[in-house]
Amino acid sequence: MKPVVQLEPTGCGIASVAALAGVSYTAAKRVANRTGISATDSRLWSETTNVCRLPTHYRLQPSARPTPFASWDALPDRALLAIKWHRIRGRGFWHWVVFVRDSSGTYVLDSKKTLKHHVRKDFWCMKPRWFIDVR
């Protein structure tokens, strides 16, 4: 699986779904916008509804609810993972990344534009809060 870089500061959810679907950020953004999902809408990174709805347009099946993170070994082979969880004015926010376990190994695809490497294996640096299984 290949990383997709987010083209907007708040587009991590769209970029993560694009990576899972194997499409470009622009293509995923087009589908998202047609269905009322926008990177500028804070619900994309403070609620799970929209990021769970977008994969279904690519025939991917996200779990209905987030599952609390227990360990890296307990994660499914593909998952949308919430990291960098924090509160702003009492509301939770996070950064979406993609967890992958495949024949290439175990890694995280991080769409943040300013990263030098979007394939991450520094698991000790990430602090996952929960995940959404994607099949």
Side-chain angles (χ1 to χ4, degrees):
M1 192 174 303
K2 296 182 181 187
V4 173
V5 177
Q6 63 192 73
L7 301 180
E8 300 162 285
T10 56
C12 59
I14 293 171
S16 294
V17 172
L20 285 165
V23 299
S24 69
Y25 182 86
T26 304
K29 181 181 174 182
R30 198 174 311 120
V31 170
N33 289 342
R34 275 198 316 260
T35 60
I37 300 169
S38 169
T40 59
D41 185 346
S42 66
R43 289 179 297 178
L44 191 58
W45 26 273
S46 68
E47 295 177 12
T48 59
T49 306
N50 286 336
V51 84
C52 284
R53 203 165 41 113
L54 188 54
T56 62
H57 294 279
Y58 295 101
R59 297 184 183 190
L60 298 170
Q61 298 174 342
S63 56
R65 297 179 181 192
T67 303
F69 177 84
S71 73
W72 292 102
D73 290 335
L75 288 171
D77 290 344
R78 291 190 312 174
L80 287 162
L81 191 61
I83 66 171
K84 299 182 183 177
W85 192 92
H86 60 284
R87 285 193 183 276
I88 298 175
R89 291 186 220 115
R91 187 174 177 187
F93 290 88
W94 53 86
H95 177 60
W96 288 111
V97 296
V98 179
F99 174 80
V100 181
R101 186 182 298 109
D102 63 15
S103 60
S104 300
T106 302
Y107 52 95
V108 169
L109 300 176
D110 192 331
S111 64
K112 187 175 179 183
K113 192 174 186 175
T114 58
L115 291 175
K116 270 188 174 179
H117 304 285
H118 298 281
V119 177
R120 296 181 61 181
K121 293 187 178 187
D122 57 338
F123 301 108
W124 61 91
C125 291
M126 295 176 263
K127 301 204 180 344
R129 186 74 172 219
W130 63 76
F131 66 92
I132 296 169
D133 188 2
V134 180
R135 299 187 188 273

